Amino acid sequence: MRPFLEPFLGKTPNRPPAWFMRQAGRYLPEYRELRAQAPDFLKFCYSPDLTVEATLQPIRRFGFDAAILFSDILVIPDALGQQVRFEEGVGPLLDPIGDRLGIAALRAGSVLDRLAPVFETLRRLRRELPDDTALIGFAGAPWTLAFYMIEGRGGVDGGKLKRMAYGSPGDFAALMTVLEDALVAYLCRQVESGAEVLQLFDSWSGIADETLFARWVIAPTKRIVARVKEVHPTVPIIGFPRGAGPMVIDYAAATGVDGVSVDSQVPLSWARRNVPAHMVLQGNLDNQLLVAGGDDLDAAVARIVRDMRGHPFVFNLGHGILPQTPPDNVARVLNRLRGGAGES
Ligand code: CP3
């Protein structure tokens, strides 16, 4: 049994398994070197030789308990035919969808063909990973994908997204259905290609009020989880409703996910008291503390472990690793989790 999978069977090992969101990426010099081989980020994502290597780099260096497929959530809009590009220093830029014509132009039929390199990456990874390392597949949740598809970029407040959700509910529902169907097929194929756990990133769920959250975060997630589990009943699914605050509890109770990843603003001890006893919690070290390092970092790691002892738990960050993170701080956290260097 891979240690990573134990919490999903209700076990509470003394040392929680650990992986970090964005554990592959620019904070690693070996990643920056690899990335220089394909300056176009989407091309990088569709090159199995490069994505397999990028996935393995943090495993080799740190020995995380799980590897996460190297890809991006925005391969789904790209595979649906929307123009997606990544600009250095800006992030993703998409030709925004503004109306029903834009939705009708999406091509759902060719999604799995276009994503064939992702499945190839997973197959190769499962062969190359150490036996005790689990393999995580992932996708963006519909609300977060719709955010990028309608806004065209990050770093904005989601006004266009909400105007479509409130003002053209029929069109918005049509877009969400296209996304749900594509995600179910994509996630099932990931499992068939070697993914042993799935994570759904809902990075923008924090801009939804209670009603939008119920309708467009919880409900689509619940349908996706049910449909994936119809085909693959035992695959653990982790949801990450970032910024959801107290609504993370409704999310845990209603979506059917096996685990919930909580951000750094949600106290784990509070989450633990408010989710079902079997619900795996994942999180939630502040990624800025991982940059800062030092005694405060050690204290936060110890506190998280103390708060979660006896509850099924996966150690992680509250959000992805930042590019300026010193790799030594990552090693330091894993070392302390494993009882090295002065753990009390
Ligand atoms: O190691 C891993 O976690 C696996 C790889 C992974 C990436 N993106 C690689 C990536 C994963 C799981 C993602 C998910 C993702 N992508 C999310 C959800 C998680 C979150 O952060 O909330 C989102 C919102 C995106 C969209 C996205 N992709 C943005 C906003 C950016 C730009 C921000 C940045 O750091 O530049 C990306 C680019 C991206 N995705 C990079 C990486 C390693 C950096 C690209 C580069 O190498 O230049």
Side-chain angles (χ1 to χ4, degrees):
M1 166 63 57
R2 305 193 221 285
F4 184 81
L5 300 173
E6 289 185 357
F8 297 94
L9 299 171
K11 297 189 183 162
T12 59
N14 255 338
R15 169 181 95 67
W19 70 285
F20 285 178
M21 290 187 262
R22 290 280 184 94
Q23 63 192 22
R26 284 168 302 190
Y27 77 109
L28 291 177
E30 59 269 34
Y31 172 81
R32 293 196 296 270
E33 197 176 308
L34 188 70
R35 179 75 166 73
Q37 294 182 30
D40 178 327
F41 183 64
L42 270 180
K43 284 209 180 99
F44 187 99
C45 288
Y46 293 135
S47 305
D49 287 343
L50 301 176
T51 48
V52 167
E53 175 59 21
T55 308
L56 293 173
Q57 284 175 343
I59 304 303
R60 277 192 214 111
R61 198 193 252 260
F62 305 114
F64 286 108
D65 295 295
I68 181 160
L69 162 71
F70 190 92
S71 183
D72 197 84
I73 63 167
L74 298 178
V75 297
I76 286 288
D78 176 67
L80 286 166
Q82 192 173 8
Q83 289 300 323
V84 180
R85 61 200 174 85
F86 287 82
E87 198 147 294
E88 188 74 51
V90 178
L93 293 174
L94 296 79
D95 283 359
I97 290 178
D99 55 20
R100 73 183 60 180
L101 286 176
I103 297 166
L106 295 172
R107 291 186 305 271
S110 49
V111 166
L112 292 187
D113 289 341
R114 174 100 173 129
L115 297 171
V118 176
F119 309 128
E120 166 78 13
T121 299
L122 286 166
R123 282 192 296 273
R124 282 163 59 174
L125 280 169
R126 196 51 275 171
R127 287 199 300 270
E128 293 190 29
L129 281 166
D131 252 359
D132 57 359
T133 311
L135 178 55
I136 303 172
F138 74 91
W143 173 256
T144 287
L145 292 177
F147 178 99
Y148 285 105
M149 294 171 82
I150 293 167
E151 298 288 345
R153 58 185 303 152
V156 291
D157 65 1
K160 288 192 204 163
L161 171 75
K162 290 188 184 180
R163 280 196 291 282
M164 194 188 285
Y166 288 132
S168 310
D171 294 343
F172 191 74
L175 173 61
M176 294 298 263
T177 299
V178 169
L179 289 171
E180 269 176 53
D181 291 347
L183 289 167
V184 169
Y186 182 47
L187 292 166
C188 284
R189 186 66 67 85
Q190 287 191 27
V191 175
E192 287 141 26
S193 306
E196 301 164 286
V197 177
L198 298 171
Q199 177 152 322
L200 279 169
F201 288 92
D202 222 339
S203 307
W204 290 94
S205 61
I207 63 166
D209 75 340
E210 201 176 354
T211 304
L212 289 177
F213 193 86
R215 194 172 295 160
W216 296 125
V217 174
I218 289 182
T221 302
K222 182 177 179 183
R223 288 190 290 267
I224 290 169
V225 169
R227 289 170 67 188
V228 171
K229 286 190 178 259
E230 222 168 84
V231 186
H232 298 291
T234 60
V235 67
I237 303 179
I238 305 169
F240 179 33
R242 188 167 79 90
M247 292 188 284
V248 72
I249 303 308
D250 305 329
Y251 182 99
T255 54
V257 295
D258 304 277
V260 175
S261 200
V262 304
D263 60 44
S264 304
Q265 285 68 48
V266 171
L268 277 170
S269 55
W270 175 85
R272 175 182 183 163
R273 287 197 301 277
N274 287 284
V275 297
H278 61 271
M279 175 68 52
V280 176
L281 289 171
Q282 173 176 278
N284 74 347
L285 184 72
D286 188 342
N287 57 2
Q288 290 287 359
L289 202 42
L290 191 66
V291 175
D295 292 345
D296 286 348
L297 173 61
D298 295 347
V301 172
R303 178 189 174 132
I304 289 170
V305 171
R306 203 177 342 107
D307 283 349
M308 295 312 293
R309 191 154 279 146
H311 188 97
F313 177 58
V314 173
F315 191 96
N316 205 315
L317 305 177
H319 196 199
I321 293 191
L322 297 164
Q324 61 273 35
T325 304
D328 282 352
N329 288 352
V330 175
R332 178 175 177 137
V333 169
L334 290 175
N335 194 25
R336 294 190 75 86
L337 284 174
R338 289 164 186 165
E343 223 235 319
S344 52

